[in-house]
Amino acid sequence: MSDAQQQERKVSDLELGVVGNCSFAALIDRDASVVWCCLPRFDGDPVFHSLLGSPPDMEDGGFFAIDLEDRVHSEQDYCGNTAVLETVLHGKQGSVRITDFAPRFFWRDRLYHPNMLIRRLTPVSGTPRIRIRLRPRYDYGAALPSLTFGSHHIRYVGPHSVLRLTTNAPLDYVREETLFNLSSPVDLLLGPDETLHEGIAHTARNFEERTRDYWRRWVHRLAIPFEWQSAVLRAAITLKLCTYEGTGAIVAALTTSIPEAPGTQRNWDYRYCWVRDAYFVVRALNRMAAMRKMENYFDWLMNIVASAAGSHIQPVYGLGLESELTERIIPNLPGYRGMGPVRVGNQAYQHFQHDSYGNVILGVAQAFLDRRLMSPPTRMDFLRLEDMGRQALACYDKPDAGMWELRSRARIHTTSSLMCWAAADRLARIADYIGEPERARDWRQEAERIKQVILERAWSQKRQAFVESLDGEYLDAGVLLMTEVGFIDPNDPRMVSTLEQIESALGRGAHMMRYEAADDFGEPTTAFTTCSFWRIDALARMGRREEARDYFEALLAQRNRLGMMSEDIDVKTGEAWGNYPQTYSMVGVINCAMRLSRSWEKAI
């Protein structure tokens, strides 16, 4: 099989494993090829980018492959409740196991999580013949590295950074991509241009053992439901892998430019932190008692609040609080399955999305009420949040781009008004808790004022539903969040009717479309997985649990072999589309399982 044929096969779907350590992450296909990895962090330069193709005028590159001669089939799974991935390649002459992980463990009383990918190759049967093909690229595939060599390492020197492969494999075989017999284990450590302090095999083995132990201990502390435990644990680990330890930010996904649907131009860069998406992630992890994430995210959010100083909050920021995420197109990468464009940056940073104020306050509200935190919020933190609340009061009835980030149309979106109400409501609750009764009274009055506007203007007598904008006429699955944030009783006749109308117009079996009105690119053609989970949650709240369970089981069946989901699903083929893994989707798995599962007391 030629290189070109192999590359075509390797980007054919989103059956990708994820390894990482909350510093960086790598996506690995079912044949053990690393097809996506950005350094030095999630939104950095993809040194492995074959998921989005290679420049047409250059030799194929942007991948880290372990090829087995006469490969017949492969198996792939995670090692128990860890982020350590194992792929077994079976061939006519033998089999090889590839163990992939990024080191993460406590060392010298602190977390150790270097930008290092470790690949351990072990012969399983026979005499497997393998070829190691390590072809990093820089500047989004535009720059080839220059190579220098040592006795046990190869340095891949790029314009702005250097990668070092340290290995006990024959260096000549790696350098020349020579096919050779794998008669004994081989370790490949790819990371910073630094010398190892101990032997190669010892380091790889030690790091693997300690990384496995870290993940097992992390999972051991989680509170999980009785049912669907495997699905929930994999979702939780995946969400953890999408968090950036350095600042507390949470990316919406690890990729850019996987189309929401084939040939639609709906290709976006999701490697940034949306305050909306991150709130839902933190809330899901909180439900599982993963408290440390809430503390880290609280710090990240309060930096945004302090920097804003009472002015406009962007819906999205960089991992290091970067406020400018200028969007540009990378012309030399053809895109996923050749479906460009490949975009870097996201225009949404320039948008006015008024739900951001509510999402900020919702994201930190529990921190004020939870006595377990090591560094609880202060009164000054509350006063700064009040600045966000005042912004919400000023814009709850003003047009914006909405939560779906429409680029050429502004309306007074119901979900934006709803989250402005949530901002005032949660400020009232926080004020009550911290002993500020007058402030609590004032915020409660403001919340009630906003609520009455929404109830009067978002309800459509014609559609018998709450609609997507005040005084509007179109349906939108986002209004199902009314029950999620406690705005209205789920059994209120208006909410029951709203769900019925949304199901009728937007439901596609177990799946849900986002909205019925055409957007900048026409009408959406794939279901948005998060909306499907919102429908399940709403059904459960209304007492329709068996129906909700059936839909939930159907959605779980849409996960890939490793238990992960992207953003969108083709309702006809079941094929995954959109950026991957999508945190919104993994949140849905956790939330619905927690709501629908039988209790431990009733199960045992």
Side-chain angles (χ1 to χ4, degrees):
M1 184 180 294
S2 70
D3 284 0
Q5 288 173 320
Q6 289 196 32
Q7 287 307 104
E8 175 63 26
R9 173 171 55 82
K10 289 178 179 182
V11 298
S12 62
D13 56 37
L14 293 178
E15 290 284 349
L16 303 172
V18 180
V19 299
N21 60 8
C22 305
S23 174
F24 82 105
L27 304 188
I28 302 171
D29 73 9
R30 69 184 77 189
D31 294 327
S33 181
V34 181
V35 297
W36 185 258
C37 179
C38 300
L39 293 173
R41 62 186 199 182
F42 302 133
D43 56 353
D45 186 18
V47 294
F48 301 126
H49 55 70
S50 60
L51 183 66
L52 300 183
S54 296
D57 58 343
M58 295 175 63
E59 177 189 31
D60 281 340
F63 58 86
F64 188 175
I66 310 296
D67 297 333
L68 176 67
E69 185 180 47
D70 297 323
R71 189 193 69 83
V72 177
H73 67 94
S74 65
E75 302 167 8
Q76 189 176 62
D77 205 351
Y78 284 99
C79 300
N81 297 326
T82 75
V84 178
L85 184 69
E86 285 190 349
T87 309
V88 180
L89 304 179
H90 298 278
K92 295 178 180 179
Q93 300 181 58
S95 303
V96 58
R97 179 174 62 248
I98 300 99
T99 303
D100 289 304
F101 67 98
R104 180 178 174 85
F105 50 84
F106 284 94
W107 191 13
R108 296 173 181 170
D109 295 324
R110 63 183 176 85
L111 267 173
Y112 179 67
H113 50 100
N115 280 351
M116 177 183 290
L117 174 67
I118 297 181
R119 318 200 72 187
R120 308 196 68 197
L121 283 51
T122 307
V124 175
S125 65
T127 306
R129 287 175 58 77
I130 68 166
R131 175 183 287 111
I132 299 170
R133 294 189 298 148
L134 175 52
R135 300 183 185 178
R137 298 290 185 264
Y138 295 97
D139 288 344
Y140 288 85
L144 290 168
S146 59
L147 276 59
T148 64
F149 311 99
S151 57
H152 292 287
H153 72 263
I154 303 175
R155 299 171 70 247
Y156 298 84
V157 182
H160 310 294
S161 62
V162 178
L163 281 175
R164 178 193 288 239
L165 174 73
T166 304
T167 181
N168 46 22
L171 218 57
D172 294 282
Y173 294 167
V174 178
R175 185 170 55 202
E176 301 299 330
E177 300 185 352
T178 302
L179 194 66
F180 68 97
N181 293 334
L182 184 68
S183 56
S184 60
V186 159
D187 300 297
L188 305 161
L189 290 76
L190 182 69
D193 188 21
E194 300 171 357
T195 302
L196 294 182
H197 297 297
E198 297 182 290
I200 296 169
H202 174 80
T203 298
R205 181 173 58 253
N206 180 40
F207 281 15
E208 180 186 349
E209 291 173 356
R210 297 178 74 170
T211 298
R212 285 175 185 256
D213 186 62
Y214 168 84
W215 286 107
R216 287 168 178 157
R217 290 177 181 274
W218 185 78
V219 166
H220 179 72
R221 296 193 297 268
L222 297 179
I224 61 173
F226 170 72
E227 297 180 274
W228 304 295
Q229 291 183 34
S230 295
V232 168
L233 291 175
R234 184 51 51 193
I237 292 171
T238 303
L239 292 181
K240 177 77 170 176
L241 291 174
C242 291
T243 66
Y244 185 65
E245 188 81 33
T247 63
I250 305 168
V251 294
L254 295 173
T255 60
T256 178
S257 303
I258 308 297
E260 293 179 9
T264 59
Q265 306 287 304
R266 298 173 185 265
N267 302 12
W268 317 114
D269 191 348
Y270 278 11
R271 301 171 300 159
Y272 308 109
C273 187
W274 273 259
V275 294
R276 177 190 312 112
D277 300 48
Y279 155 65
F280 285 101
V281 172
V282 170
R283 183 174 180 274
L285 291 176
N286 283 351
R287 295 183 72 179
M288 302 180 71
M291 298 303 301
R292 181 59 181 163
K293 183 62 251 170
M294 179 171 70
E295 293 180 298
N296 289 349
Y297 184 59
F298 176 83
D299 290 341
W300 188 83
L301 269 184
M302 292 311 297
N303 272 301
I304 288 178
V305 171
S307 299
S311 62
H312 168 60
I313 286 282
Q314 295 177 194
V316 57
Y317 292 85
L319 303 187
L321 292 176
E322 294 86 358
S323 59
E324 291 190 19
L325 305 174
T326 304
E327 187 174 300
R328 59 191 175 96
I329 290 176
I330 305 297
N332 54 291
L333 291 180
Y336 180 73
R337 301 193 197 180
M339 298 177 191
V342 171
R343 289 188 172 95
V344 174
N346 200 299
Q347 186 201 72
Y349 84 93
Q350 297 176 314
H351 289 184
F352 286 88
Q353 297 176 26
H354 300 325
D355 66 319
S356 297
Y357 304 107
N359 286 309
V360 167
I361 294 172
L362 285 168
V364 302
Q366 183 176 334
F368 284 88
L369 280 60
D370 198 317
R371 294 186 179 274
R372 293 172 294 175
L373 271 62
M374 301 289 287
S375 301
T378 66
R379 186 172 185 275
M380 180 56 67
D381 291 324
F382 173 71
L383 296 179
R384 286 173 173 163
L385 282 184
E386 284 194 310
D387 289 339
M388 295 295 97
R390 283 186 277 274
Q391 287 289 317
L393 298 181
C395 64
Y396 78 92
D397 59 351
K398 303 295 189 298
D400 72 345
M403 69 182 301
W404 305 125
E405 301 184 339
L406 302 175
R407 297 190 168 207
S408 61
R409 184 181 72 214
R411 290 176 179 168
I412 307 172
H413 290 94
T414 300
T415 51
S416 296
S417 300
L418 172 68
M419 290 303 177
C420 289
W421 167 84
D425 177 77
R426 293 329 191 256
L427 284 171
R429 298 189 195 190
I430 295 170
D432 259 337
Y433 190 80
I434 65 174
E436 296 278 359
E438 293 183 2
R439 280 188 158 86
R441 180 201 61 212
D442 292 344
W443 283 113
R444 195 168 289 113
Q445 290 175 349
E446 295 292 358
E448 184 60 28
R449 180 170 64 88
I450 297 173
K451 184 173 186 175
Q452 291 308 310
V453 171
I454 295 173
L455 291 175
E456 292 172 9
R457 297 180 60 189
W459 174 258
S460 169
Q461 194 65 25
K462 176 182 177 182
R463 301 301 300 268
Q464 285 296 291
F466 290 111
V467 290
E468 53 88 34
S469 60
L470 302 193
D471 307 316
E473 59 179 309
Y474 295 107
L475 297 177
D476 185 327
V479 303
L480 296 178
L481 291 174
M482 285 181 165
T483 59
E484 169 80 16
V485 299
F487 177 82
I488 191 171
D489 188 292
N491 289 305
D492 185 291
R494 292 166 293 184
M495 201 64 218
V496 173
S497 179
T498 295
L499 177 58
E500 291 174 352
Q501 298 305 316
I502 287 176
E503 285 187 299
S504 177
L506 304 178
R508 304 290 188 273
H511 304 288
M512 291 287 287
M513 311 300 284
R514 279 185 285 186
Y515 40 76
E516 62 180 355
D519 60 22
D520 309 310
F521 298 87
E523 293 184 9
T525 58
T526 53
F528 195 69
T529 304
T530 300
C531 296
S532 304
F533 285 120
W534 289 344
R535 189 255 293 264
I536 292 170
D537 185 79
L539 286 170
R541 290 174 186 269
M542 293 176 185
R544 296 163 62 181
R545 291 181 62 85
E546 290 307 312
E547 189 177 355
R549 287 173 66 93
D550 289 343
Y551 283 140
F552 184 51
E553 291 282 5
L555 280 185
L556 288 182
Q558 297 292 312
R559 296 173 301 149
N560 68 14
R561 295 174 302 106
L562 295 170
M564 285 172 281
M565 306 184 84
S566 61
E567 180 184 27
D568 303 272
I569 295 176
D570 186 312
V571 297
K572 295 180 180 179
T573 66
E575 187 173 9
W577 290 91
N579 284 308
Y580 174 91
Q582 176 79 359
T583 54
Y584 245 158
S585 300
M586 306 314 293
V587 162
V589 172
I590 293 173
N591 285 344
C592 290
M594 299 287 266
R595 183 164 299 282
L596 293 171
S597 174
R598 289 178 293 160
S599 70
W600 285 90
E601 288 78 6
K602 292 181 179 180
I604 56 178

